[in-house]
Amino acid sequence: MTALDFSDRTDFEDADRGFLAGPPSGTVTGRDGRVVWDFERTAFLAGDCPETVHPSLWRQSQLCARAGLYEVTEGVYQVRGYDLSNMTLIEGERGVVVVDPLVSAETAAAALALYRDRRGDRPVTGVVFTHSHIDHFGGILGVLAPGDGTPVLAPAGFLANSVAENVYAGTAMLRRGMYYSGAAVPPGPTGQVGMGLGFAASEGEPGLVAPTLEITRTGQEETLDGVPFRFQLTPGTEAPSELNFHLPAHRALCTAENATHNLHNILTLRGALVRDARVWSRYLNETLTLFGADSDVLFASHHWPTWGTDRIARFLAEQCQLYGYLHDQTLRLLNQGLTGTEIAERVELPPRLAAAWHTRGYYGSVSHNVKAVYQRYMGWYDGHPSSLWEHPPAASARRYADCMGGVDAVVAKARGYADDGDLRFAAQLLRHAVFADPEHAAARELLAGTFERLAYGAECATWRNCYLMGARELRHGVERTAIASSGLAGALTVEQLFDAIAIRIDGPRAWDLRAVIDWHVTDLDQYHRTTLENGVLVHAPVAPDLFGAGTDAAFTLTREQLVVLLAGRQPEGVTVAGDPTALSALRSVVDRVDPDFPIVTP
């Protein structure tokens, strides 16, 4: 096991460098007075590491707990600790360019106010979204009003990718996101200590505005408020749509979320498309080649900057090697016939990489990243024929319990393994016990206690949060998933709106239904046709001269009215030709979205 140098205080010095001002109050609140961000939640991290937290994770959480306004270099500032991510502010000729305005409008507005309190009431003269994740654009309405003419720059594909997850797998991702963020776990030495990437996400109102200009190629140069930017596109890395940029006049490099002070995720535990570790590594090498020698400071949208050209070169090289090593070693071993789980037991980082604090697995982990690389290339099937047609978890659990002499016997065996320190296998056994008999109190409590012990030993913050959330579900039942009112609906295209309905069609209930409906969306001047048949809703554009021909119904309405209509309500002013009950038939087979499903219980 790699020995870590806890006497190295470089990260603490960098995290404190340039500090100008802390938060003026202990909380950030919404319009209704509800607390959306509480700076006091991290106060416990000022103490020594307790036995219930991995020392390396405690160190990382202490670093992430710092909050306030910081000068990165002359004319470049960051507000950190106001949300999961950082907001960067780059001063121009007339005002300030905002980069990545946090998760929600409330924290973004508070961060901008903190900056203005020290640097003057400068107007926002430009915005850059570095990538398509909500913690980098959700707070936009806290820093500018839509349609005010402010230039908003984003990487190619940003708008489609920023809403795609919310359309297709958003409900399941939201529920699993509760687990990996530890959303219901109280902060403290036996509870939530952060996420590795930051402490937590704010709980305010997210929003989205469409970019006014897309960055479409590496080397593209744009000027915002007199400040020259040089961009590098990095699609398929940490996000499907992402970019880095260089500020040549400041000798400053922004690596977005591609290079931060931890090992990131190849596949996040909340769920996502598997990222390409090979491409990620190659883009970081390109970043070093393009900008390394011309940079005195590197900053990102999480964590703290790195100063010095030589240190930047080493940091980028090691981050490049980190993702490249995980990719290449996984491929080497899968080509020897090992499965993802087996490879995860074999792969460990080279000692010099493992000893670098910024490669530690606080957010991602070597174990689940290796499995993700395997999944990207080989899929879910491990090659063993018995895996082709397994029983689902509850049915398998009952059979395992039967083989072992009943649930009581399974629990007794698990207790023995837990007492011997094999918490991993104890948890596997107890999973079977709980799924075989969900009401078995001893099984539930022993599994909850086992999860807690696993959490206390986890260096990875997201593993810790998953374990602690699992323990809470076993003891208290499923806790409601917090859903902010979506400010993203306005960004959905008509195609995405119909996709959102298509994936909620209850196929068996719709087997015998057929409904063909045309839609003229007047404010977009778009014509679409939806066809429900054999349990599938197919949609496509239709020529204007074919509108209404051979259909059950044809609706003429605005996009806003379409959103209301698809949500099950009846807006005024909609024109319909044909049989309006065709829409009722379609609505009747649309599933209700419920994110409050169990995870560690059947």
Side-chain angles (χ1 to χ4, degrees):
M1 184 175 179
T2 301
L4 297 172
D5 183 6
F6 283 87
S7 67
D8 179 2
R9 303 293 290 178
T10 304
D11 284 335
F12 289 88
E13 294 166 3
D14 287 345
D16 290 334
R17 180 171 170 172
F19 177 77
L20 296 176
S25 64
T27 60
V28 176
T29 57
R31 288 174 296 181
D32 58 359
R34 181 174 55 90
V35 173
V36 302
W37 187 256
D38 184 355
F39 295 101
E40 298 302 319
R41 287 191 302 174
T42 61
F44 69 94
L45 290 164
D48 294 334
C49 180
E51 294 183 354
T52 51
V53 183
H54 192 291
S56 175
L57 176 58
W58 185 261
R59 175 187 183 276
Q60 180 77 354
S61 297
Q62 287 182 318
L63 288 161
C64 291
R66 283 153 163 75
L69 175 67
Y70 297 80
E71 183 180 50
V72 176
T73 190
E74 185 178 357
V76 181
Y77 300 84
Q78 283 191 318
V79 178
R80 304 184 208 131
Y82 268 58
D83 215 316
L84 180 64
S85 49
N86 301 334
M87 179 193 288
T88 301
L89 303 111
I90 303 165
E91 294 179 351
E93 295 174 352
R94 298 181 297 104
V96 64
V97 177
V98 172
V99 179
D100 288 354
L102 309 182
V103 174
S104 55
E106 295 89 342
T107 51
L112 182 59
L114 178 66
Y115 164 80
R116 284 172 168 166
D117 184 61
R118 292 303 297 256
R119 298 294 302 166
D121 192 15
R122 299 167 181 258
V124 174
T125 49
V127 174
V128 177
F129 298 141
T130 63
H131 61 289
S132 52
H133 290 155
I134 195 170
D135 52 324
H136 301 270
F137 66 80
I140 184 63
L141 299 182
V143 300
L144 61 77
D148 70 355
T150 303
V152 179
L153 278 61
F158 168 84
L159 197 59
N161 287 312
S162 64
V163 298
E165 289 182 349
N166 296 284
V167 173
Y168 301 116
T171 302
M173 287 183 180
L174 184 65
R175 174 72 177 119
R176 283 174 45 164
M178 292 277 290
Y179 259 60
Y180 98 126
S181 66
V185 178
T190 60
Q192 186 196 36
V193 298
M195 293 181 66
L197 203 60
F199 190 77
S202 62
E203 299 178 0
E205 296 292 332
L208 178 61
V209 301
T212 62
L213 176 66
E214 283 197 337
I215 304 304
T216 58
R217 60 180 176 83
T218 292
Q220 184 171 337
E221 298 184 3
E222 302 292 342
T223 299
L224 292 173
D225 194 12
V227 179
F229 286 70
R230 292 182 60 204
F231 291 97
Q232 177 199 16
L233 275 185
T234 62
T237 51
E238 187 273 335
S241 177
E242 190 148 0
L243 57 76
N244 299 328
F245 66 82
H246 188 251
L247 302 172
H250 298 80
R251 291 183 58 85
L253 170 62
C254 174
T255 55
E257 204 167 326
N258 288 318
T260 55
H261 287 273
N262 58 200
L263 170 61
H264 213 290
N265 289 299
I266 305 303
L267 177 57
T268 172
L269 300 180
R270 65 172 168 80
L273 297 177
V274 181
R275 297 156 185 169
D276 191 337
R278 178 185 63 88
V279 164
W280 198 332
S281 175
R282 291 185 180 183
Y283 275 127
L284 286 174
N285 188 57
E286 182 181 66
T287 306
L288 176 56
T289 301
L290 288 173
F291 308 124
D294 298 321
S295 300
D296 294 329
V297 62
L298 179 153
F299 62 93
S301 294
H302 295 274
H303 301 141
W304 50 94
T306 298
W307 282 271
T309 304
D310 291 343
R311 289 182 61 206
I312 290 169
R314 185 170 67 252
F315 174 78
L316 286 174
E318 288 174 345
Q319 285 278 306
C320 163
Q321 294 157 8
L322 174 63
Y323 297 105
Y325 188 87
L326 294 180
H327 174 272
D328 294 349
Q329 294 307 303
T330 302
L331 269 291
R332 179 178 69 85
L333 293 171
L334 75 80
N335 281 315
Q336 294 178 12
L338 276 68
T339 67
T341 302
E342 292 168 333
I343 297 169
E345 291 294 297
R346 291 272 294 270
V347 171
E348 57 180 319
L349 294 178
R352 284 195 297 274
L353 271 185
W357 286 109
H358 66 87
T359 69
R360 304 301 299 180
Y362 303 120
Y363 189 52
S365 74
V366 169
S367 178
H368 75 252
N369 277 344
V370 161
K371 294 168 189 171
V373 175
Y374 181 91
Q375 178 180 327
R376 180 178 178 88
Y377 286 93
M378 303 298 288
W380 65 269
Y381 180 45
D382 63 6
H384 197 290
S386 68
S387 301
L388 289 171
W389 197 25
E390 294 180 342
H391 287 289
S396 291
R398 290 191 293 269
R399 288 163 172 79
Y400 278 113
D402 180 60
C403 291
M404 295 181 67
V407 174
D408 287 342
V410 177
V411 172
K413 280 286 188 184
R415 194 180 304 278
Y417 279 102
D419 290 345
D420 290 340
D422 190 351
L423 300 176
R424 296 167 66 183
F425 191 62
Q428 288 180 263
L429 285 176
L430 290 165
R431 173 179 179 170
H432 288 312
V434 170
F435 270 72
D437 183 359
E439 303 305 317
H440 198 289
R444 294 175 72 108
E445 181 53 37
L446 184 56
L447 181 54
T450 301
F451 280 160
E452 284 182 332
R453 291 175 64 186
L454 285 164
Y456 298 159
E459 184 179 25
C460 180
T462 53
W463 282 31
R464 177 186 175 92
N465 291 336
C466 287
Y467 286 134
L468 293 176
M469 284 290 293
R472 285 186 68 85
E473 182 179 323
L474 288 161
R475 287 172 174 153
H476 307 296
V478 175
E479 300 184 68
R480 292 193 61 80
T481 302
I483 306 176
S485 61
S486 178
L488 307 184
L492 296 179
T493 65
V494 173
E495 289 83 359
Q496 289 170 328
L497 288 169
F498 288 134
D499 277 346
I501 298 299
I503 62 175
R504 291 171 54 197
I505 296 294
D506 185 332
R509 287 172 54 208
W511 282 347
D512 298 324
L513 286 179
R514 186 175 189 277
V516 182
I517 303 174
D518 276 0
W519 311 84
H520 178 203
V521 185
T522 55
D523 51 333
L524 302 177
D525 195 26
Q526 294 181 9
Y527 294 81
H528 295 263
R529 176 167 294 174
T530 58
T531 302
L532 176 65
E533 189 171 24
N534 287 321
V536 181
L537 184 69
V538 177
H539 61 90
V542 64
D545 59 336
L546 297 178
F547 177 70
T551 64
D552 297 303
F555 288 82
T556 300
L557 71 182
T558 65
R559 185 199 168 283
E560 183 178 352
Q561 290 170 328
L562 176 63
V563 172
V564 174
L565 202 64
L566 293 178
R569 302 188 300 276
Q570 186 63 47
E572 296 182 358
V574 175
T575 301
V576 57
D579 182 7
T581 64
L583 179 60
S584 300
L586 173 61
R587 285 173 172 170
S588 71
V589 292
V590 176
D591 259 350
R592 182 178 65 89
V593 174
D594 181 7
D596 298 324
F597 52 79
I599 292 179
V600 297
T601 53

Coordinates of all heavy atoms in Angstrom, one line a residue, residues 263-267 274-275 277 322-334 338-349 364-379 463:
L263 N -8.7 11.7 -8.7 CA -9.1 10.8 -9.8 C -10.5 11.0 -10.0 O -11.3 10.9 -9.1 CB -8.7 9.4 -9.4 CG -9.3 8.3 -10.3 CD1 -8.7 8.4 -11.7 CD2 -9.0 6.9 -9.7
H264 N -10.9 11.3 -11.2 CA -12.3 11.5 -11.6 C -13.0 10.1 -11.9 O -12.4 9.1 -11.7 CB -12.4 12.5 -12.7 CG -13.6 13.4 -12.6 ND1 -14.9 12.9 -12.8 CD2 -13.8 14.7 -12.4 CE1 -15.8 13.8 -12.7 NE2 -15.1 15.0 -12.4
N265 N -14.2 10.2 -12.5 CA -14.9 9.0 -12.8 C -14.9 8.7 -14.3 O -15.1 9.6 -15.1 CB -16.4 9.2 -12.5 CG -16.7 9.2 -11.0 OD1 -16.5 8.2 -10.3 ND2 -17.2 10.3 -10.5
I266 N -14.6 7.5 -14.7 CA -14.8 7.0 -16.0 C -16.3 6.7 -16.2 O -16.9 6.8 -17.2 CB -13.9 5.8 -16.3 CG1 -12.5 6.1 -16.1 CG2 -14.2 5.3 -17.8 CD1 -12.0 7.3 -16.8
L267 N -16.9 6.2 -15.1 CA -18.4 6.1 -15.0 C -18.8 6.4 -13.7 O -18.5 5.8 -12.7 CB -18.8 4.6 -15.4 CG -20.3 4.3 -15.3 CD1 -21.1 5.2 -16.2 CD2 -20.5 2.8 -15.6
V274 N -20.6 5.7 -20.4 CA -19.2 5.4 -20.0 C -18.3 6.4 -20.8 O -18.4 6.5 -22.0 CB -18.8 4.0 -20.3 CG1 -17.3 3.7 -19.9 CG2 -19.7 3.0 -19.6
R275 N -17.4 7.0 -20.1 CA -16.4 8.0 -20.7 C -15.2 7.2 -21.3 O -15.0 6.1 -20.9 CB -16.0 9.0 -19.7 CG -17.2 9.8 -19.2 CD -17.0 10.4 -17.8 NE -18.2 11.1 -17.4 CZ -18.4 11.6 -16.1 NH1 -17.5 11.4 -15.2 NH2 -19.5 12.2 -15.8
A277 N -11.5 6.8 -21.4 CA -10.3 7.1 -20.7 C -9.1 7.3 -21.7 O -8.2 8.1 -21.4 CB -10.0 6.0 -19.7
L322 N -2.4 9.0 -15.5 CA -3.4 8.4 -14.6 C -4.5 7.7 -15.4 O -4.8 6.5 -15.3 CB -4.0 9.5 -13.7 CG -5.2 9.1 -12.8 CD1 -4.7 8.0 -11.8 CD2 -5.7 10.3 -12.0
Y323 N -5.1 8.4 -16.3 CA -6.3 7.9 -17.1 C -5.7 6.9 -18.2 O -6.4 5.9 -18.5 CB -7.1 9.0 -17.7 CG -7.7 9.9 -16.7 CD1 -7.3 11.1 -16.4 CD2 -8.8 9.4 -15.9 CE1 -7.8 11.9 -15.4 CE2 -9.4 10.1 -14.9 CZ -8.9 11.4 -14.6 OH -9.4 12.2 -13.6
G324 N -4.6 7.2 -18.7 CA -4.0 6.3 -19.7 C -3.6 5.0 -19.1 O -3.8 3.9 -19.7
Y325 N -3.1 5.0 -17.9 CA -2.7 3.7 -17.2 C -3.9 2.9 -17.0 O -3.9 1.6 -17.2 CB -2.0 4.0 -15.9 CG -1.4 2.8 -15.3 CD1 -0.1 2.4 -15.6 CD2 -2.0 2.1 -14.3 CE1 0.5 1.2 -15.0 CE2 -1.5 1.0 -13.7 CZ -0.2 0.5 -14.1 OH 0.3 -0.6 -13.5
L326 N -5.0 3.4 -16.4 CA -6.2 2.7 -16.1 C -6.8 2.1 -17.4 O -7.2 0.9 -17.4 CB -7.2 3.5 -15.4 CG -6.8 4.1 -14.0 CD1 -8.0 4.9 -13.5 CD2 -6.5 2.9 -13.1
H327 N -6.8 2.9 -18.5 CA -7.3 2.3 -19.7 C -6.4 1.2 -20.3 O -6.9 0.1 -20.6 CB -7.3 3.5 -20.8 CG -7.7 3.0 -22.2 ND1 -6.8 2.5 -23.1 CD2 -8.9 2.9 -22.8 CE1 -7.4 2.2 -24.2 NE2 -8.7 2.4 -24.0
D328 N -5.1 1.4 -20.4 CA -4.3 0.4 -21.0 C -4.1 -0.9 -20.2 O -4.1 -2.0 -20.8 CB -2.9 1.0 -21.3 CG -2.9 2.2 -22.3 OD1 -4.0 2.4 -22.9 OD2 -1.9 2.9 -22.3
Q329 N -4.1 -0.7 -18.9 CA -3.9 -2.0 -18.1 C -5.2 -2.8 -18.1 O -5.2 -4.0 -18.1 CB -3.5 -1.6 -16.7 CG -2.1 -1.0 -16.6 CD -1.1 -1.9 -17.3 OE1 -0.9 -3.1 -16.9 NE2 -0.4 -1.3 -18.3
T330 N -6.3 -2.1 -18.1 CA -7.6 -2.8 -18.2 C -7.7 -3.6 -19.5 O -8.1 -4.8 -19.6 CB -8.8 -1.9 -18.1 OG1 -8.7 -1.2 -16.9 CG2 -10.1 -2.6 -18.1
L331 N -7.3 -3.0 -20.6 CA -7.3 -3.6 -21.9 C -6.3 -4.8 -22.0 O -6.6 -5.8 -22.5 CB -7.0 -2.6 -23.0 CG -8.3 -1.9 -23.7 CD1 -9.1 -2.9 -24.5 CD2 -9.1 -1.2 -22.7
R332 N -5.2 -4.6 -21.4 CA -4.2 -5.7 -21.3 C -4.7 -6.9 -20.6 O -4.6 -8.0 -21.2 CB -2.9 -5.2 -20.6 CG -1.8 -6.2 -20.5 CD -0.6 -5.7 -19.9 NE -0.8 -5.4 -18.4 CZ -0.6 -6.3 -17.5 NH1 -0.2 -7.5 -17.8 NH2 -0.8 -6.0 -16.2
L333 N -5.4 -6.7 -19.5 CA -5.8 -7.8 -18.7 C -7.1 -8.4 -19.3 O -7.3 -9.6 -19.2 CB -6.0 -7.4 -17.3 CG -4.7 -7.0 -16.6 CD1 -4.9 -6.4 -15.2 CD2 -3.8 -8.3 -16.4
L334 N -8.0 -7.6 -19.9 CA -9.2 -8.2 -20.4 C -8.9 -9.0 -21.6 O -9.5 -10.1 -21.9 CB -10.3 -7.1 -20.8 CG -10.2 -6.2 -22.0 CD1 -10.6 -6.9 -23.3 CD2 -11.0 -5.0 -21.8
L338 N -9.5 -11.9 -18.3 CA -10.0 -11.5 -17.0 C -11.3 -10.6 -17.2 O -11.4 -9.9 -18.1 CB -9.0 -10.7 -16.2 CG -7.9 -11.5 -15.4 CD1 -7.0 -12.2 -16.3 CD2 -7.2 -10.6 -14.4
T339 N -12.2 -10.7 -16.2 CA -13.4 -9.9 -16.2 C -13.1 -8.6 -15.5 O -12.1 -8.4 -14.9 CB -14.5 -10.7 -15.5 OG1 -14.2 -10.8 -14.1 CG2 -14.8 -12.0 -16.1
G340 N -14.1 -7.7 -15.5 CA -14.0 -6.4 -14.9 C -13.7 -6.5 -13.4 O -12.8 -5.8 -12.9
T341 N -14.4 -7.4 -12.7 CA -14.2 -7.5 -11.3 C -12.8 -8.1 -11.0 O -12.2 -7.6 -10.0 CB -15.3 -8.4 -10.7 OG1 -16.6 -7.9 -11.0 CG2 -15.2 -8.6 -9.2
E342 N -12.4 -9.0 -11.8 CA -11.1 -9.6 -11.6 C -10.0 -8.5 -11.8 O -9.0 -8.5 -11.1 CB -10.9 -10.8 -12.5 CG -11.8 -12.0 -12.1 CD -11.8 -13.1 -13.1 OE1 -11.6 -12.8 -14.3 OE2 -12.0 -14.2 -12.7
I343 N -10.2 -7.8 -12.9 CA -9.2 -6.7 -13.2 C -9.1 -5.7 -12.1 O -8.0 -5.2 -11.8 CB -9.5 -6.1 -14.6 CG1 -9.4 -7.1 -15.7 CG2 -8.5 -4.9 -14.9 CD1 -10.0 -6.6 -17.0
A344 N -10.2 -5.3 -11.6 CA -10.2 -4.3 -10.5 C -9.4 -4.8 -9.3 O -8.9 -3.9 -8.5 CB -11.7 -4.0 -10.1
E345 N -9.3 -6.1 -9.1 CA -8.5 -6.6 -8.0 C -7.0 -6.6 -8.3 O -6.2 -6.6 -7.4 CB -9.0 -8.0 -7.6 CG -10.4 -8.1 -7.0 CD -10.4 -7.5 -5.6 OE1 -9.7 -7.9 -4.7 OE2 -11.1 -6.5 -5.5
R346 N -6.7 -6.5 -9.6 CA -5.3 -6.7 -10.0 C -4.7 -5.3 -10.2 O -3.5 -5.2 -10.0 CB -5.3 -7.5 -11.3 CG -5.6 -8.9 -11.2 CD -4.4 -9.8 -10.8 NE -3.4 -9.8 -11.9 CZ -3.4 -10.7 -12.9 NH1 -4.3 -11.6 -13.0 NH2 -2.4 -10.6 -13.8
V347 N -5.4 -4.3 -10.7 CA -4.8 -3.1 -11.1 C -4.5 -2.2 -9.9 O -5.4 -1.9 -9.1 CB -5.7 -2.3 -12.1 CG1 -5.2 -0.9 -12.4 CG2 -5.8 -3.1 -13.4
E348 N -3.3 -1.7 -9.8 CA -3.0 -0.7 -8.8 C -2.1 0.3 -9.5 O -1.3 0.0 -10.5 CB -2.3 -1.2 -7.6 CG -1.0 -2.1 -7.8 CD -0.5 -2.6 -6.5 OE1 -0.4 -1.9 -5.5 OE2 0.0 -3.8 -6.5
L349 N -2.1 1.6 -9.1 CA -1.3 2.6 -9.8 C 0.2 2.4 -9.5 O 0.5 1.9 -8.4 CB -1.8 4.0 -9.3 CG -3.2 4.4 -9.7 CD1 -3.5 5.8 -9.1 CD2 -3.4 4.4 -11.2
G364 N -13.8 9.5 -8.1 CA -13.7 8.2 -8.8 C -12.9 7.3 -7.9 O -12.4 7.7 -6.9
S365 N -12.7 6.1 -8.4 CA -11.8 5.1 -7.7 C -11.2 4.2 -8.8 O -11.8 4.1 -9.9 CB -12.5 4.2 -6.7 OG -13.3 3.3 -7.3
V366 N -10.0 3.7 -8.5 CA -9.4 2.8 -9.4 C -10.3 1.6 -9.7 O -10.5 1.2 -10.8 CB -8.0 2.3 -8.9 CG1 -7.5 1.1 -9.7 CG2 -7.0 3.4 -8.8
S367 N -10.9 1.1 -8.6 CA -11.8 -0.1 -8.7 C -13.0 0.1 -9.7 O -13.1 -0.6 -10.6 CB -12.3 -0.5 -7.3 OG -13.2 -1.6 -7.4
H368 N -13.8 1.2 -9.4 CA -14.9 1.3 -10.3 C -14.6 1.9 -11.7 O -15.3 1.7 -12.6 CB -16.1 2.0 -9.6 CG -16.1 3.4 -9.4 ND1 -15.9 4.0 -8.2 CD2 -16.3 4.5 -10.2 CE1 -15.9 5.3 -8.3 NE2 -16.2 5.6 -9.5
N369 N -13.5 2.6 -11.8 CA -13.1 3.1 -13.1 C -12.6 2.0 -14.0 O -12.8 2.0 -15.2 CB -12.0 4.1 -12.9 CG -12.5 5.5 -12.6 OD1 -13.7 5.8 -12.8 ND2 -11.7 6.4 -12.2
V370 N -11.8 1.0 -13.4 CA -11.4 -0.1 -14.2 C -12.6 -0.9 -14.7 O -12.7 -1.3 -15.9 CB -10.5 -1.0 -13.3 CG1 -10.4 -2.4 -13.9 CG2 -9.1 -0.4 -13.2
K371 N -13.6 -1.1 -13.9 CA -14.8 -1.8 -14.3 C -15.5 -1.1 -15.4 O -16.1 -1.6 -16.3 CB -15.7 -2.0 -13.1 CG -15.2 -3.0 -12.0 CD -16.0 -2.9 -10.7 CE -15.3 -3.7 -9.6 NZ -15.9 -3.5 -8.3
A372 N -15.5 0.3 -15.3 CA -16.1 1.1 -16.4 C -15.4 0.9 -17.7 O -16.0 0.9 -18.7 CB -16.1 2.5 -15.9
V373 N -14.1 0.9 -17.7 CA -13.3 0.7 -18.9 C -13.7 -0.6 -19.5 O -13.9 -0.8 -20.7 CB -11.8 0.8 -18.7 CG1 -11.0 0.5 -20.0 CG2 -11.4 2.2 -18.2
Y374 N -13.7 -1.7 -18.7 CA -14.2 -3.0 -19.1 C -15.6 -2.9 -19.8 O -15.8 -3.5 -20.8 CB -14.1 -4.0 -18.0 CG -14.5 -5.4 -18.4 CD1 -13.6 -6.3 -18.7 CD2 -15.9 -5.8 -18.4 CE1 -13.9 -7.6 -19.1 CE2 -16.2 -7.1 -18.7 CZ -15.2 -8.0 -19.1 OH -15.6 -9.3 -19.5
Q375 N -16.5 -2.2 -19.1 CA -17.8 -2.1 -19.6 C -17.9 -1.4 -20.9 O -18.7 -1.8 -21.8 CB -18.7 -1.4 -18.6 CG -20.2 -1.2 -19.0 CD -21.0 -0.5 -18.0 OE1 -20.8 -0.6 -16.8 NE2 -21.9 0.3 -18.5
R376 N -17.1 -0.4 -21.1 CA -17.1 0.3 -22.4 C -16.7 -0.6 -23.6 O -17.3 -0.5 -24.6 CB -16.1 1.5 -22.3 CG -16.1 2.3 -23.6 CD -15.1 3.5 -23.5 NE -15.1 4.2 -24.8 CZ -15.9 5.2 -25.1 NH1 -16.8 5.6 -24.3 NH2 -15.8 5.8 -26.3
Y377 N -15.8 -1.5 -23.3 CA -15.4 -2.3 -24.4 C -16.1 -3.7 -24.5 O -16.3 -4.2 -25.6 CB -13.9 -2.6 -24.3 CG -13.0 -1.4 -24.7 CD1 -12.6 -0.5 -23.7 CD2 -12.6 -1.2 -26.0 CE1 -11.8 0.6 -24.0 CE2 -11.9 -0.1 -26.3 CZ -11.4 0.8 -25.4 OH -10.7 1.9 -25.7
M378 N -16.5 -4.2 -23.4 CA -17.0 -5.6 -23.3 C -18.5 -5.7 -22.9 O -19.1 -6.8 -23.1 CB -16.2 -6.5 -22.4 CG -14.7 -6.5 -22.8 SD -14.3 -7.2 -24.4 CE -14.7 -8.9 -24.1
G379 N -19.0 -4.6 -22.4 CA -20.5 -4.7 -22.0 C -20.7 -5.4 -20.7 O -19.7 -5.7 -19.9
W463 N -18.0 6.5 -2.4 CA -18.3 5.1 -1.8 C -18.8 5.3 -0.4 O -19.8 4.6 0.0 CB -17.0 4.3 -1.8 CG -16.6 3.7 -3.1 CD1 -16.8 4.2 -4.4 CD2 -15.8 2.5 -3.3 NE1 -16.2 3.4 -5.3 CE2 -15.6 2.3 -4.7 CE3 -15.3 1.6 -2.4 CZ2 -15.0 1.2 -5.2 CZ3 -14.6 0.5 -2.9 CH2 -14.4 0.3 -4.3

